[in-house]
Amino acid sequence: MSAPATDARTAHAIGVERLLESYRAVPPTASVRLAKQTSNLFRGRASTNARGLDTSGLTEVISVDPEMRTADVAGMCTYERLVATTLPFGLAPLVVPQLKTITLGGAVTGLGIESTSFRNGLPHESVLEMDILTGAGEVVTVSRERHADLYRAFPNSYGTLGYAVRLRIALEPVKPFVALTHVRFHALRDLIAAMDRTITTGHFDGGPVDYLDGVVFSADECYLCVGVQTSAPGPLSDYTGRQIYYRSIQHQNGARLDKLTIADYLWRWDTDWFWCSAAFGAQHPVVRRLWPRRHLRSSSYWKLMRLERRFDIGDRLEKLRGRPPRERVIQDVEVPIGRCVEFLDWFLANVPIQPIWLCPLRLRDDDDWPLYPIRPRETYVNVGFWSTVPVGASEGATNRMIERRVSDLDGHKSLYSDAYYGRGEFDELYDGETYRVVKERYDPNSRLLDLYAKAVRRQ
């Protein structure tokens, strides 16, 4: 076990008691919510004066077991802190979502994904057991064998079935560096075909693959990004300062090689929030030189975005320019790989947003995760796009159009951002029947919000 495990467990126990005390202090008629310093949700919520649950004692890694390759982690621990603790052991979580301030509990209840997902699935699949604070005010330990109904329904429940207090997760060994190959394609069908072959064989260009994702800049400029762990020394790139990672991918033909430390690879997208830092001017050469390096990170841009939304700065500027307001289109969707080209062609023709992130995904096993029912043994591609478009004739016109197209292609949409589904369609897509059974068992008095109310009605 890691050295500070005993002290960390004591501190965690104190944190759990503090959490329970704050739960008991919430009036019985009030909804229970978390008090969080950070968030990676992109949907608005109704304001409330209700006091949130105290999670201040649930932010640490409790212990790491290098021999068993497991870690016990508090639910509000960020992946930044988790990775910093496991890497000295030569270990990392099986899936490390892209942004540093995503919490382990948040990634499990809200789904996370990254370039290991083609072989390791989603973060909740590597959870061996969890302690969950339920709506009934009880801390319940769940696993594949204990309270299996809550264990399986927890992913994609977004805190409406309970909050992860402690998670025991599997880890995997990692090497110090990641060698990258960025392969240019001039047609989407060729990119997706190469991605499919790589996933099926586990190899690219004759060698094994550890990480796999892609970027679409346009219909005739797209890239497959292949990563291989290595211990071999050599020159390293640094995209935590003036150099911008996603720009380093671009080239005219063939393949471009690169190498990063394992830590810099895991956080390669965080420095510029993929490419969204451009909205704040952070990619302009002059601004880049003046921008403090410590603030080149997603959490800084998130704070700026909250200010923009609070004061409607973007729409005010558009009005001054004589242009209509903008609709936020910040979404991740999963589409079967066999329909991915069809979706991308449609998207590029109908939604003026580029670049687009591609991240392949296969569930690790045949387990059933009812609230996000993607099929085992089938490859999906997560398509991520994050920007704004001119408002349409109705609220959320572009988002609604995307929802319809994704459903037509037998895909699914993550719920961390705006959603516009009707109740019946929502229940069909996210297994409302199973959700209600589990909800009634573990939150009989509806102390926690309902998933539809939270995800669609923004309560």
Side-chain angles (χ1 to χ4, degrees):
M1 292 286 186
S2 57
T6 301
D7 290 345
R9 289 188 187 282
T10 300
H12 179 70
I14 294 171
V16 172
E17 183 54 39
R18 194 183 304 160
L19 175 75
L20 291 171
E21 287 178 1
S22 66
Y23 175 92
R24 291 189 285 266
V26 178
T29 56
S31 294
V32 175
R33 298 172 184 251
L34 292 182
K36 297 179 64 176
Q37 296 299 313
T38 63
S39 174
N40 286 282
L41 295 179
F42 287 84
R43 48 176 144 77
R45 295 188 64 181
S47 60
T48 177
N49 294 322
R51 196 172 186 177
L53 299 184
D54 183 354
T55 61
S56 59
L58 303 175
T59 61
E60 302 296 326
V61 178
I62 302 166
S63 65
V64 176
D65 188 331
E67 293 184 3
M68 296 300 294
R69 295 179 182 171
T70 62
D72 273 24
V73 187
M76 295 297 293
C77 179
T78 64
Y79 273 92
E80 181 177 26
R81 183 168 293 175
L82 174 56
V83 166
T85 304
T86 63
L87 283 185
F89 294 99
L91 300 169
L94 272 63
V95 180
V96 179
Q98 314 89 335
L99 306 181
K100 291 178 177 179
T101 58
I102 293 175
T103 63
L104 180 58
V108 170
T109 192
L111 304 183
I113 194 168
E114 237 295 329
S115 57
T116 56
S117 290
F118 77 100
R119 58 184 177 86
N120 286 340
L122 298 172
H124 59 265
E125 295 187 85
S126 57
V127 174
L128 305 176
E129 69 175 30
M130 285 182 284
D131 294 341
I132 296 175
L133 172 64
T134 69
E138 302 171 340
V139 176
V140 177
T141 301
V142 307
S143 67
R144 286 175 170 82
E145 295 78 30
R146 303 171 63 186
H147 298 283
D149 54 348
L150 180 56
Y151 173 82
R152 297 193 185 283
F154 194 72
N156 208 46
S157 64
Y158 284 88
T160 66
L161 295 178
Y163 300 112
V165 176
R166 177 193 62 90
L167 306 95
R168 178 169 296 164
I169 62 169
L171 305 172
E172 67 176 8
V174 292
K175 295 178 181 178
F177 311 110
V178 177
L180 290 167
T181 303
H182 304 305
V183 186
R184 167 76 185 257
F185 291 89
H186 298 271
L188 292 169
R189 64 179 180 277
D190 295 335
L191 167 68
I192 299 303
M195 180 182 285
D196 199 11
R197 287 194 302 272
T198 303
I199 296 164
T200 300
T201 63
H203 288 70
F204 181 85
D205 200 21
V209 175
D210 296 307
Y211 306 100
L212 189 68
D213 62 352
V215 179
V216 175
F217 288 89
S218 67
D220 57 5
E221 185 190 359
C222 47
Y223 300 87
L224 189 66
C225 303
V226 179
V228 179
Q229 294 180 25
T230 178
S231 299
L236 298 172
S237 296
D238 183 353
Y239 300 107
T240 63
R242 292 190 185 180
Q243 302 305 310
I244 298 172
Y245 174 71
Y246 82 99
R247 290 301 182 193
S248 75
I249 295 171
Q250 293 184 275
H251 57 278
Q252 289 299 314
N253 290 291
R256 172 173 287 179
L257 304 181
D258 203 350
K259 184 186 283 188
L260 301 173
T261 67
I262 179 66
D264 281 353
Y265 175 79
L266 293 176
W267 303 128
R268 68 201 184 282
W269 292 122
D270 188 84
T271 300
D272 283 285
W273 218 7
F274 283 83
W275 32 78
C276 298
S277 65
F280 307 102
Q283 294 182 29
H284 189 282
V286 175
V287 176
R288 192 77 169 191
R289 285 196 295 270
L290 299 174
W291 198 293
R293 190 166 180 149
R294 68 183 181 277
H295 291 310
L296 286 170
R297 51 182 289 140
S298 60
S299 57
S300 296
Y301 310 129
W302 174 256
K303 292 175 183 177
L304 292 174
M305 193 185 78
R306 288 180 65 182
L307 287 173
E308 188 278 329
R309 289 167 60 180
R310 180 179 178 184
F311 297 106
D312 292 324
I313 295 172
D315 285 348
R316 290 174 187 269
L317 290 174
E318 292 297 297
K319 185 176 182 179
L320 288 174
R321 296 166 181 158
R323 298 198 291 244
R326 310 278 296 181
E327 175 187 350
R328 289 184 307 152
V329 182
I330 301 175
Q331 304 288 353
D332 281 72
V333 302
E334 265 82 47
V335 179
I337 196 167
R339 312 297 298 272
C340 188
V341 174
E342 187 178 353
F343 177 77
L344 290 172
D345 283 340
W346 173 87
F347 187 91
L348 290 171
N350 291 277
V351 184
I353 294 177
Q354 297 93 36
I356 303 166
W357 187 54
L358 304 180
C359 186
L361 155 71
R362 285 179 69 94
L363 294 180
R364 292 180 66 202
D365 50 40
D366 292 336
D367 282 352
D368 178 31
W369 308 100
L371 271 61
Y372 205 72
I374 60 178
R375 290 185 290 272
R377 304 183 186 181
E378 182 170 339
T379 301
Y380 293 77
V381 179
N382 176 282
V383 184
F385 37 92
W386 316 292
S387 191
T388 63
V389 300
V391 295
S394 60
E395 181 190 7
T398 298
N399 282 284
R400 293 173 191 269
M401 180 174 63
I402 293 168
E403 289 178 352
R404 291 193 297 271
R405 192 59 179 153
V406 170
S407 294
D408 290 343
L409 298 177
D410 199 22
H412 292 273
K413 170 179 153 175
S414 297
L415 296 175
Y416 72 89
S417 188
D418 297 316
Y420 295 89
Y421 298 109
R423 184 66 195 239
E425 183 180 11
F426 185 88
D427 285 350
E428 183 178 349
L429 290 171
Y430 303 104
D431 198 347
E433 183 176 352
T434 295
Y435 175 78
R436 279 188 287 274
V437 170
V438 178
K439 179 79 166 172
E440 288 173 5
R441 180 176 182 185
Y442 295 97
D443 186 20
N445 296 316
S446 298
R447 297 297 308 279
L448 305 175
L449 287 172
D450 170 75
L451 181 59
Y452 183 77
K454 188 171 187 179
V456 180
R457 294 178 177 166
R458 306 171 199 170
Q459 295 182 4

